[in-house]
Amino acid sequence: MAINNIFKEMFSEQKRERELKFQQEIIRKTLEEQGYNINDFDRGLELLEEEDYENAIIYLKRCADNENSQAQYELGRLLKEGLGIKQDKVKAKEYLMKAYKNGFKRAGLLLRELRYEENKSLNKDIELEFENKISDLGFTIDIPIDWVKLDPKNKNCFDAVAIDSFDGDVIFNIKMQVFLIEIPENMSYCVDLDRVANNMGCIESVNFNNGNCNGKLICGEGIDGTCEYIFVSKGKKGVYDLRVMVDKYLEPIYEDVIDHIIYSFDITDKI
């Protein structure tokens, strides 16, 4: 059964709102430390709430030019929609890209929308060839040959990191990675995967066997406009977390790729 068909309408707005508030608090603290005028930022947000877009833009632009990532996001959104200002999707993309690169991941959603609008068909050749990777972390998995392979920051935990991009854009089409949560020897059997899945937040999970391993298949939605599929399983070394993140506008195109990657995963030292 196609993995994409297992999950539908399972995403929580509450989770996205909590993530946004968390990012806003980080931005606020950073600005205070750097001595920026918080009143400008707050006033801009207040005017947005009041839908006084023209005056909001005055304050937001001031903050955006001082590298306030949320102000860059809000200004990009207004330019994209033509609210309080003449619609300019080129300029909107510039501000949204700055916000995204400065860590405001919610900008990724609007960047993906813009990309989709510019490339309605988004035709891509997905007749991909795969190569099997044997990891020192104790698993094997198939990786598309043409994808960009990235060096993991911590080779003791992460491995098999690969990305497929669209015309070299930093807003990727699909990304995969596997990491290992090491468990003391002979203690992996004590780990309850239901509890692991529940601790991942407001996302849905089902029991799943990919033909090689038993585990939990978890589905979530990122604030950057991605759908995230997570297969959690356990072996003698610990708990394995395989993640496949895909641009939600491209999800149907990549359905077979998602399936191939997740169904190819196997743990070398099973319990």
mmCIF file of all heavy atoms in Angstrom, residues 45-91:
data_model
loop_
_atom_site.group_PDB
_atom_site.id
_atom_site.type_symbol
_atom_site.label_atom_id
_atom_site.label_comp_id
_atom_site.label_asym_id
_atom_site.label_seq_id
_atom_site.Cartn_x
_atom_site.Cartn_y
_atom_site.Cartn_z
ATOM 1 N N LEU A 45 3.248 44.422 13.923
ATOM 2 C CA LEU A 45 2.371 43.259 14.079
ATOM 3 C C LEU A 45 0.957 43.676 14.478
ATOM 4 O O LEU A 45 -0.028 43.091 14.030
ATOM 5 C CB LEU A 45 2.948 42.299 15.122
ATOM 6 C CG LEU A 45 4.265 41.603 14.753
ATOM 7 C CD1 LEU A 45 4.686 40.648 15.859
ATOM 8 C CD2 LEU A 45 4.149 40.857 13.426
ATOM 9 N N GLU A 46 0.864 44.703 15.324
ATOM 10 C CA GLU A 46 -0.457 45.203 15.722
ATOM 11 C C GLU A 46 -1.227 45.724 14.513
ATOM 12 O O GLU A 46 -2.427 45.470 14.355
ATOM 13 C CB GLU A 46 -0.293 46.319 16.756
ATOM 14 C CG GLU A 46 0.125 45.841 18.134
ATOM 15 C CD GLU A 46 0.398 47.004 19.078
ATOM 16 O OE1 GLU A 46 0.203 48.172 18.652
ATOM 17 O OE2 GLU A 46 0.809 46.754 20.226
ATOM 18 N N LEU A 47 -0.543 46.473 13.671
ATOM 19 C CA LEU A 47 -1.193 47.024 12.483
ATOM 20 C C LEU A 47 -1.595 45.915 11.512
ATOM 21 O O LEU A 47 -2.615 46.030 10.821
ATOM 22 C CB LEU A 47 -0.262 48.026 11.799
ATOM 23 C CG LEU A 47 -0.045 49.334 12.574
ATOM 24 C CD1 LEU A 47 1.125 50.116 11.991
ATOM 25 C CD2 LEU A 47 -1.319 50.183 12.543
ATOM 26 N N LEU A 48 -0.800 44.857 11.458
ATOM 27 C CA LEU A 48 -1.181 43.700 10.648
ATOM 28 C C LEU A 48 -2.481 43.098 11.151
ATOM 29 O O LEU A 48 -3.371 42.751 10.371
ATOM 30 C CB LEU A 48 -0.082 42.623 10.687
ATOM 31 C CG LEU A 48 1.053 42.709 9.682
ATOM 32 C CD1 LEU A 48 1.969 41.507 9.838
ATOM 33 C CD2 LEU A 48 0.535 42.787 8.252
ATOM 34 N N GLU A 49 -2.580 42.936 12.481
ATOM 35 C CA GLU A 49 -3.795 42.390 13.083
ATOM 36 C C GLU A 49 -5.005 43.255 12.749
ATOM 37 O O GLU A 49 -6.113 42.747 12.560
ATOM 38 C CB GLU A 49 -3.627 42.292 14.601
ATOM 39 C CG GLU A 49 -2.684 41.195 15.063
ATOM 40 C CD GLU A 49 -3.264 39.815 14.840
ATOM 41 O OE1 GLU A 49 -4.498 39.665 14.934
ATOM 42 O OE2 GLU A 49 -2.495 38.883 14.555
ATOM 43 N N GLU A 50 -4.788 44.559 12.671
ATOM 44 C CA GLU A 50 -5.875 45.496 12.366
ATOM 45 C C GLU A 50 -6.124 45.612 10.867
ATOM 46 O O GLU A 50 -7.008 46.356 10.433
ATOM 47 C CB GLU A 50 -5.537 46.876 12.939
ATOM 48 C CG GLU A 50 -5.416 46.896 14.459
ATOM 49 C CD GLU A 50 -4.806 48.192 14.984
ATOM 50 O OE1 GLU A 50 -4.573 49.114 14.177
ATOM 51 O OE2 GLU A 50 -4.558 48.273 16.210
ATOM 52 N N GLU A 51 -5.335 44.881 10.069
ATOM 53 C CA GLU A 51 -5.413 44.904 8.604
ATOM 54 C C GLU A 51 -5.128 46.297 8.027
ATOM 55 O O GLU A 51 -5.592 46.649 6.945
ATOM 56 C CB GLU A 51 -6.770 44.384 8.117
ATOM 57 C CG GLU A 51 -7.019 42.936 8.522
ATOM 58 C CD GLU A 51 -8.296 42.372 7.932
ATOM 59 O OE1 GLU A 51 -8.999 43.116 7.209
ATOM 60 O OE2 GLU A 51 -8.594 41.194 8.193
ATOM 61 N N ASP A 52 -4.346 47.077 8.785
ATOM 62 C CA ASP A 52 -3.864 48.362 8.286
ATOM 63 C C ASP A 52 -2.508 48.097 7.628
ATOM 64 O O ASP A 52 -1.452 48.439 8.151
ATOM 65 C CB ASP A 52 -3.735 49.360 9.444
ATOM 66 C CG ASP A 52 -3.343 50.759 8.965
ATOM 67 O OD1 ASP A 52 -3.086 50.930 7.754
ATOM 68 O OD2 ASP A 52 -3.258 51.670 9.800
ATOM 69 N N TYR A 53 -2.572 47.485 6.452
ATOM 70 C CA TYR A 53 -1.366 46.973 5.814
ATOM 71 C C TYR A 53 -0.392 48.074 5.390
ATOM 72 O O TYR A 53 0.832 47.909 5.521
ATOM 73 C CB TYR A 53 -1.740 46.116 4.604
ATOM 74 C CG TYR A 53 -2.619 44.946 4.950
ATOM 75 C CD1 TYR A 53 -3.870 44.789 4.347
ATOM 76 C CD2 TYR A 53 -2.213 43.990 5.879
ATOM 77 C CE1 TYR A 53 -4.694 43.712 4.660
ATOM 78 C CE2 TYR A 53 -3.032 42.914 6.202
ATOM 79 C CZ TYR A 53 -4.265 42.784 5.586
ATOM 80 O OH TYR A 53 -5.078 41.724 5.904
ATOM 81 N N GLU A 54 -0.914 49.172 4.893
ATOM 82 C CA GLU A 54 -0.033 50.236 4.398
ATOM 83 C C GLU A 54 0.865 50.774 5.505
ATOM 84 O O GLU A 54 2.071 50.963 5.307
ATOM 85 C CB GLU A 54 -0.864 51.360 3.786
ATOM 86 C CG GLU A 54 -1.535 50.979 2.476
ATOM 87 C CD GLU A 54 -2.244 52.150 1.827
ATOM 88 O OE1 GLU A 54 -2.074 53.285 2.317
ATOM 89 O OE2 GLU A 54 -2.970 51.935 0.839
ATOM 90 N N ASN A 55 0.301 51.014 6.682
ATOM 91 C CA ASN A 55 1.105 51.527 7.788
ATOM 92 C C ASN A 55 1.961 50.422 8.417
ATOM 93 O O ASN A 55 3.064 50.694 8.898
ATOM 94 C CB ASN A 55 0.209 52.171 8.843
ATOM 95 C CG ASN A 55 -0.308 53.534 8.398
ATOM 96 O OD1 ASN A 55 0.455 54.362 7.909
ATOM 97 N ND2 ASN A 55 -1.597 53.757 8.542
ATOM 98 N N ALA A 56 1.456 49.197 8.395
ATOM 99 C CA ALA A 56 2.240 48.077 8.921
ATOM 100 C C ALA A 56 3.543 47.929 8.141
ATOM 101 O O ALA A 56 4.603 47.637 8.711
ATOM 102 C CB ALA A 56 1.432 46.784 8.856
ATOM 103 N N ILE A 57 3.459 48.133 6.840
ATOM 104 C CA ILE A 57 4.630 47.970 5.979
ATOM 105 C C ILE A 57 5.752 48.931 6.380
ATOM 106 O O ILE A 57 6.938 48.568 6.317
ATOM 107 C CB ILE A 57 4.236 48.167 4.501
ATOM 108 C CG1 ILE A 57 3.421 46.948 4.022
ATOM 109 C CG2 ILE A 57 5.458 48.373 3.612
ATOM 110 C CD1 ILE A 57 2.759 47.138 2.678
ATOM 111 N N ILE A 58 5.402 50.124 6.820
ATOM 112 C CA ILE A 58 6.416 51.112 7.220
ATOM 113 C C ILE A 58 7.293 50.546 8.340
ATOM 114 O O ILE A 58 8.515 50.614 8.302
ATOM 115 C CB ILE A 58 5.740 52.425 7.677
ATOM 116 C CG1 ILE A 58 4.980 53.061 6.510
ATOM 117 C CG2 ILE A 58 6.782 53.394 8.249
ATOM 118 C CD1 ILE A 58 4.101 54.237 6.915
ATOM 119 N N TYR A 59 6.635 49.961 9.359
ATOM 120 C CA TYR A 59 7.365 49.410 10.502
ATOM 121 C C TYR A 59 8.057 48.098 10.137
ATOM 122 O O TYR A 59 9.189 47.842 10.549
ATOM 123 C CB TYR A 59 6.402 49.183 11.667
ATOM 124 C CG TYR A 59 5.863 50.461 12.256
ATOM 125 C CD1 TYR A 59 4.644 50.984 11.834
ATOM 126 C CD2 TYR A 59 6.575 51.159 13.229
ATOM 127 C CE1 TYR A 59 4.143 52.164 12.361
ATOM 128 C CE2 TYR A 59 6.089 52.339 13.769
ATOM 129 C CZ TYR A 59 4.876 52.839 13.331
ATOM 130 O OH TYR A 59 4.391 54.017 13.863
ATOM 131 N N LEU A 60 7.372 47.275 9.365
ATOM 132 C CA LEU A 60 7.946 45.976 9.011
ATOM 133 C C LEU A 60 9.191 46.128 8.149
ATOM 134 O O LEU A 60 10.169 45.391 8.330
ATOM 135 C CB LEU A 60 6.904 45.128 8.277
ATOM 136 C CG LEU A 60 5.719 44.658 9.124
ATOM 137 C CD1 LEU A 60 4.674 43.972 8.243
ATOM 138 C CD2 LEU A 60 6.183 43.707 10.222
ATOM 139 N N LYS A 61 9.164 47.079 7.213
ATOM 140 C CA LYS A 61 10.334 47.268 6.352
ATOM 141 C C LYS A 61 11.539 47.719 7.168
ATOM 142 O O LYS A 61 12.666 47.273 6.931
ATOM 143 C CB LYS A 61 10.035 48.278 5.241
ATOM 144 C CG LYS A 61 11.148 48.327 4.195
ATOM 145 C CD LYS A 61 10.789 49.223 3.040
ATOM 146 C CE LYS A 61 11.820 49.111 1.925
ATOM 147 N NZ LYS A 61 13.203 49.256 2.374
ATOM 148 N N ARG A 62 11.290 48.586 8.140
ATOM 149 C CA ARG A 62 12.366 49.055 9.011
ATOM 150 C C ARG A 62 13.012 47.874 9.747
ATOM 151 O O ARG A 62 14.232 47.767 9.835
ATOM 152 C CB ARG A 62 11.788 50.064 10.004
ATOM 153 C CG ARG A 62 12.820 50.863 10.773
ATOM 154 C CD ARG A 62 12.106 51.837 11.712
ATOM 155 N NE ARG A 62 11.220 52.746 10.986
ATOM 156 C CZ ARG A 62 10.264 53.461 11.551
ATOM 157 N NH1 ARG A 62 10.043 53.363 12.842
ATOM 158 N NH2 ARG A 62 9.516 54.274 10.830
ATOM 159 N N CYS A 63 12.174 46.986 10.248
ATOM 160 C CA CYS A 63 12.692 45.812 10.967
ATOM 161 C C CYS A 63 13.311 44.794 10.013
ATOM 162 O O CYS A 63 14.322 44.167 10.330
ATOM 163 C CB CYS A 63 11.565 45.150 11.771
ATOM 164 S SG CYS A 63 10.874 46.194 13.065
ATOM 165 N N ALA A 64 12.710 44.626 8.846
ATOM 166 C CA ALA A 64 13.230 43.672 7.868
ATOM 167 C C ALA A 64 14.627 44.071 7.413
ATOM 168 O O ALA A 64 15.502 43.217 7.227
ATOM 169 C CB ALA A 64 12.289 43.585 6.668
ATOM 170 N N ASP A 65 14.853 45.364 7.255
ATOM 171 C CA ASP A 65 16.169 45.844 6.835
ATOM 172 C C ASP A 65 17.212 45.653 7.930
ATOM 173 O O ASP A 65 18.409 45.713 7.670
ATOM 174 C CB ASP A 65 16.095 47.321 6.444
ATOM 175 C CG ASP A 65 15.307 47.534 5.149
ATOM 176 O OD1 ASP A 65 15.127 46.547 4.410
ATOM 177 O OD2 ASP A 65 14.866 48.671 4.893
ATOM 178 N N ASN A 66 16.740 45.432 9.174
ATOM 179 C CA ASN A 66 17.643 45.122 10.286
ATOM 180 C C ASN A 66 17.722 43.617 10.555
ATOM 181 O O ASN A 66 18.054 43.187 11.657
ATOM 182 C CB ASN A 66 17.182 45.846 11.562
ATOM 183 C CG ASN A 66 17.579 47.305 11.565
ATOM 184 O OD1 ASN A 66 18.635 47.668 11.062
ATOM 185 N ND2 ASN A 66 16.725 48.153 12.123
ATOM 186 N N GLU A 67 17.374 42.833 9.512
ATOM 187 C CA GLU A 67 17.496 41.372 9.558
ATOM 188 C C GLU A 67 16.550 40.700 10.552
ATOM 189 O O GLU A 67 16.864 39.643 11.095
ATOM 190 C CB GLU A 67 18.951 40.939 9.848
ATOM 191 C CG GLU A 67 19.952 41.387 8.800
ATOM 192 C CD GLU A 67 19.594 40.889 7.407
ATOM 193 O OE1 GLU A 67 19.240 39.707 7.267
ATOM 194 O OE2 GLU A 67 19.658 41.699 6.461
ATOM 195 N N ASN A 68 15.398 41.307 10.799
ATOM 196 C CA ASN A 68 14.353 40.647 11.582
ATOM 197 C C ASN A 68 13.654 39.656 10.647
ATOM 198 O O ASN A 68 12.949 40.047 9.715
ATOM 199 C CB ASN A 68 13.363 41.688 12.114
ATOM 200 C CG ASN A 68 12.244 41.067 12.933
ATOM 201 O OD1 ASN A 68 11.794 39.972 12.666
ATOM 202 N ND2 ASN A 68 11.785 41.804 13.929
ATOM 203 N N SER A 69 13.841 38.376 10.889
ATOM 204 C CA SER A 69 13.361 37.361 9.958
ATOM 205 C C SER A 69 11.840 37.304 9.854
ATOM 206 O O SER A 69 11.296 37.065 8.773
ATOM 207 C CB SER A 69 13.917 35.983 10.326
ATOM 208 O OG SER A 69 13.519 35.608 11.627
ATOM 209 N N GLN A 70 11.138 37.520 10.966
ATOM 210 C CA GLN A 70 9.676 37.498 10.872
ATOM 211 C C GLN A 70 9.163 38.710 10.112
ATOM 212 O O GLN A 70 8.201 38.609 9.343
ATOM 213 C CB GLN A 70 9.009 37.429 12.239
ATOM 214 C CG GLN A 70 7.488 37.243 12.093
ATOM 215 C CD GLN A 70 6.747 37.153 13.393
ATOM 216 O OE1 GLN A 70 7.351 37.067 14.450
ATOM 217 N NE2 GLN A 70 5.420 37.170 13.331
ATOM 218 N N ALA A 71 9.792 39.863 10.300
ATOM 219 C CA ALA A 71 9.396 41.045 9.537
ATOM 220 C C ALA A 71 9.636 40.810 8.046
ATOM 221 O O ALA A 71 8.830 41.214 7.198
ATOM 222 C CB ALA A 71 10.178 42.264 10.024
ATOM 223 N N GLN A 72 10.735 40.143 7.718
ATOM 224 C CA GLN A 72 11.011 39.806 6.321
ATOM 225 C C GLN A 72 9.932 38.883 5.774
ATOM 226 O O GLN A 72 9.476 39.039 4.637
ATOM 227 C CB GLN A 72 12.391 39.142 6.213
ATOM 228 C CG GLN A 72 13.543 40.090 6.485
ATOM 229 C CD GLN A 72 14.869 39.390 6.686
ATOM 230 O OE1 GLN A 72 14.915 38.194 6.992
ATOM 231 N NE2 GLN A 72 15.955 40.124 6.541
ATOM 232 N N TYR A 73 9.511 37.934 6.600
ATOM 233 C CA TYR A 73 8.446 37.017 6.195
ATOM 234 C C TYR A 73 7.132 37.764 5.955
ATOM 235 O O TYR A 73 6.475 37.582 4.917
ATOM 236 C CB TYR A 73 8.250 35.947 7.269
ATOM 237 C CG TYR A 73 6.947 35.190 7.156
ATOM 238 C CD1 TYR A 73 6.796 34.174 6.221
ATOM 239 C CD2 TYR A 73 5.862 35.515 7.968
ATOM 240 C CE1 TYR A 73 5.592 33.489 6.102
ATOM 241 C CE2 TYR A 73 4.656 34.828 7.856
ATOM 242 C CZ TYR A 73 4.532 33.817 6.928
ATOM 243 O OH TYR A 73 3.349 33.148 6.807
ATOM 244 N N GLU A 74 6.743 38.608 6.912
ATOM 245 C CA GLU A 74 5.472 39.318 6.798
ATOM 246 C C GLU A 74 5.479 40.265 5.604
ATOM 247 O O GLU A 74 4.479 40.379 4.876
ATOM 248 C CB GLU A 74 5.178 40.103 8.077
ATOM 249 C CG GLU A 74 5.051 39.260 9.336
ATOM 250 C CD GLU A 74 3.816 38.370 9.351
ATOM 251 O OE1 GLU A 74 3.016 38.427 8.400
ATOM 252 O OE2 GLU A 74 3.653 37.605 10.326
ATOM 253 N N LEU A 75 6.602 40.936 5.379
ATOM 254 C CA LEU A 75 6.708 41.850 4.244
ATOM 255 C C LEU A 75 6.627 41.063 2.932
ATOM 256 O O LEU A 75 5.961 41.483 1.974
ATOM 257 C CB LEU A 75 8.021 42.630 4.327
ATOM 258 C CG LEU A 75 8.176 43.846 3.409
ATOM 259 C CD1 LEU A 75 7.013 44.814 3.577
ATOM 260 C CD2 LEU A 75 9.496 44.550 3.689
ATOM 261 N N GLY A 76 7.299 39.922 2.887
ATOM 262 C CA GLY A 76 7.221 39.074 1.703
ATOM 263 C C GLY A 76 5.810 38.583 1.438
ATOM 264 O O GLY A 76 5.351 38.532 0.289
ATOM 265 N N ARG A 77 5.094 38.247 2.507
ATOM 266 C CA ARG A 77 3.705 37.780 2.371
ATOM 267 C C ARG A 77 2.816 38.881 1.797
ATOM 268 O O ARG A 77 1.993 38.633 0.909
ATOM 269 C CB ARG A 77 3.185 37.325 3.733
ATOM 270 C CG ARG A 77 1.753 36.819 3.719
ATOM 271 C CD ARG A 77 1.366 36.272 5.083
ATOM 272 N NE ARG A 77 1.284 37.321 6.093
ATOM 273 C CZ ARG A 77 0.204 38.067 6.301
ATOM 274 N NH1 ARG A 77 -0.883 37.908 5.554
ATOM 275 N NH2 ARG A 77 0.198 38.982 7.262
ATOM 276 N N LEU A 78 2.977 40.117 2.290
ATOM 277 C CA LEU A 78 2.171 41.232 1.802
ATOM 278 C C LEU A 78 2.474 41.532 0.336
ATOM 279 O O LEU A 78 1.567 41.826 -0.456
ATOM 280 C CB LEU A 78 2.413 42.467 2.662
ATOM 281 C CG LEU A 78 1.971 42.355 4.130
ATOM 282 C CD1 LEU A 78 2.355 43.612 4.896
ATOM 283 C CD2 LEU A 78 0.477 42.096 4.241
ATOM 284 N N LEU A 79 3.746 41.456 -0.034
ATOM 285 C CA LEU A 79 4.132 41.675 -1.430
ATOM 286 C C LEU A 79 3.586 40.554 -2.324
ATOM 287 O O LEU A 79 3.163 40.807 -3.459
ATOM 288 C CB LEU A 79 5.657 41.737 -1.549
ATOM 289 C CG LEU A 79 6.303 43.055 -1.112
ATOM 290 C CD1 LEU A 79 7.788 42.851 -0.824
ATOM 291 C CD2 LEU A 79 6.110 44.126 -2.186
ATOM 292 N N LYS A 80 3.589 39.362 -1.825
ATOM 293 C CA LYS A 80 3.076 38.219 -2.587
ATOM 294 C C LYS A 80 1.584 38.370 -2.865
ATOM 295 O O LYS A 80 1.114 38.088 -3.970
ATOM 296 C CB LYS A 80 3.331 36.919 -1.817
ATOM 297 C CG LYS A 80 2.726 35.666 -2.446
ATOM 298 C CD LYS A 80 3.005 34.449 -1.602
ATOM 299 C CE LYS A 80 2.354 33.199 -2.175
ATOM 300 N NZ LYS A 80 0.878 33.234 -2.142
ATOM 301 N N GLU A 81 0.836 38.825 -1.849
ATOM 302 C CA GLU A 81 -0.615 38.924 -1.984
ATOM 303 C C GLU A 81 -1.076 40.295 -2.485
ATOM 304 O O GLU A 81 -2.248 40.470 -2.816
ATOM 305 C CB GLU A 81 -1.279 38.633 -0.636
ATOM 306 C CG GLU A 81 -0.944 37.267 -0.060
ATOM 307 C CD GLU A 81 -1.414 36.132 -0.941
ATOM 308 O OE1 GLU A 81 -2.384 36.328 -1.697
ATOM 309 O OE2 GLU A 81 -0.807 35.038 -0.884
ATOM 310 N N GLY A 82 -0.156 41.281 -2.513
ATOM 311 C CA GLY A 82 -0.547 42.624 -2.923
ATOM 312 C C GLY A 82 -1.427 43.303 -1.898
ATOM 313 O O GLY A 82 -2.369 44.016 -2.234
ATOM 314 N N LEU A 83 -1.106 43.121 -0.622
ATOM 315 C CA LEU A 83 -1.884 43.718 0.464
ATOM 316 C C LEU A 83 -1.187 44.982 0.963
ATOM 317 O O LEU A 83 -0.081 44.921 1.493
ATOM 318 C CB LEU A 83 -2.030 42.717 1.624
ATOM 319 C CG LEU A 83 -2.812 41.441 1.316
ATOM 320 C CD1 LEU A 83 -2.725 40.468 2.482
ATOM 321 C CD2 LEU A 83 -4.271 41.768 0.994
ATOM 322 N N GLY A 84 -1.810 46.142 0.766
ATOM 323 C CA GLY A 84 -1.246 47.410 1.200
ATOM 324 C C GLY A 84 -0.103 47.897 0.343
ATOM 325 O O GLY A 84 0.519 48.918 0.643
ATOM 326 N N ILE A 85 0.181 47.174 -0.718
ATOM 327 C CA ILE A 85 1.299 47.506 -1.593
ATOM 328 C C ILE A 85 1.068 46.809 -2.933
ATOM 329 O O ILE A 85 0.361 45.793 -2.997
ATOM 330 C CB ILE A 85 2.636 47.061 -0.963
ATOM 331 C CG1 ILE A 85 3.828 47.683 -1.686
ATOM 332 C CG2 ILE A 85 2.752 45.551 -0.916
ATOM 333 C CD1 ILE A 85 5.154 47.450 -0.965
ATOM 334 N N LYS A 86 1.656 47.327 -3.999
ATOM 335 C CA LYS A 86 1.495 46.702 -5.298
ATOM 336 C C LYS A 86 2.128 45.309 -5.283
ATOM 337 O O LYS A 86 3.234 45.112 -4.789
ATOM 338 C CB LYS A 86 2.173 47.556 -6.379
ATOM 339 C CG LYS A 86 1.982 46.996 -7.781
ATOM 340 C CD LYS A 86 2.644 47.896 -8.826
ATOM 341 C CE LYS A 86 2.471 47.316 -10.226
ATOM 342 N NZ LYS A 86 3.126 48.162 -11.253
ATOM 343 N N GLN A 87 1.389 44.349 -5.812
ATOM 344 C CA GLN A 87 1.884 42.975 -5.825
ATOM 345 C C GLN A 87 3.194 42.884 -6.617
ATOM 346 O O GLN A 87 3.309 43.407 -7.717
ATOM 347 C CB GLN A 87 0.856 42.049 -6.453
ATOM 348 C CG GLN A 87 1.218 40.576 -6.360
ATOM 349 C CD GLN A 87 0.147 39.684 -6.990
ATOM 350 O OE1 GLN A 87 -0.228 39.879 -8.148
ATOM 351 N NE2 GLN A 87 -0.335 38.711 -6.233
ATOM 352 N N ASP A 88 4.185 42.257 -5.993
ATOM 353 C CA ASP A 88 5.495 42.098 -6.630
ATOM 354 C C ASP A 88 6.074 40.769 -6.157
ATOM 355 O O ASP A 88 6.697 40.690 -5.110
ATOM 356 C CB ASP A 88 6.407 43.261 -6.248
ATOM 357 C CG ASP A 88 7.729 43.250 -7.016
ATOM 358 O OD1 ASP A 88 8.111 42.171 -7.512
ATOM 359 O OD2 ASP A 88 8.377 44.308 -7.092
ATOM 360 N N LYS A 89 5.848 39.734 -6.946
ATOM 361 C CA LYS A 89 6.256 38.397 -6.524
ATOM 362 C C LYS A 89 7.771 38.213 -6.546
ATOM 363 O O LYS A 89 8.305 37.408 -5.784
ATOM 364 C CB LYS A 89 5.569 37.341 -7.394
ATOM 365 C CG LYS A 89 4.063 37.288 -7.168
ATOM 366 C CD LYS A 89 3.412 36.139 -7.908
ATOM 367 C CE LYS A 89 1.922 36.083 -7.606
ATOM 368 N NZ LYS A 89 1.256 34.946 -8.292
ATOM 369 N N VAL A 90 8.443 38.964 -7.406
ATOM 370 C CA VAL A 90 9.909 38.888 -7.438
ATOM 371 C C VAL A 90 10.479 39.435 -6.130
ATOM 372 O O VAL A 90 11.338 38.816 -5.488
ATOM 373 C CB VAL A 90 10.477 39.666 -8.643
ATOM 374 C CG1 VAL A 90 12.007 39.704 -8.569
ATOM 375 C CG2 VAL A 90 10.025 39.016 -9.946
ATOM 376 N N LYS A 91 9.989 40.606 -5.725
ATOM 377 C CA LYS A 91 10.437 41.209 -4.468
ATOM 378 C C LYS A 91 9.988 40.366 -3.280
ATOM 379 O O LYS A 91 10.713 40.229 -2.286
ATOM 380 C CB LYS A 91 9.861 42.629 -4.353
ATOM 381 C CG LYS A 91 10.598 43.516 -3.366
ATOM 382 C CD LYS A 91 11.981 43.877 -3.874
ATOM 383 C CE LYS A 91 12.673 44.853 -2.938
ATOM 384 N NZ LYS A 91 14.062 45.141 -3.352
#
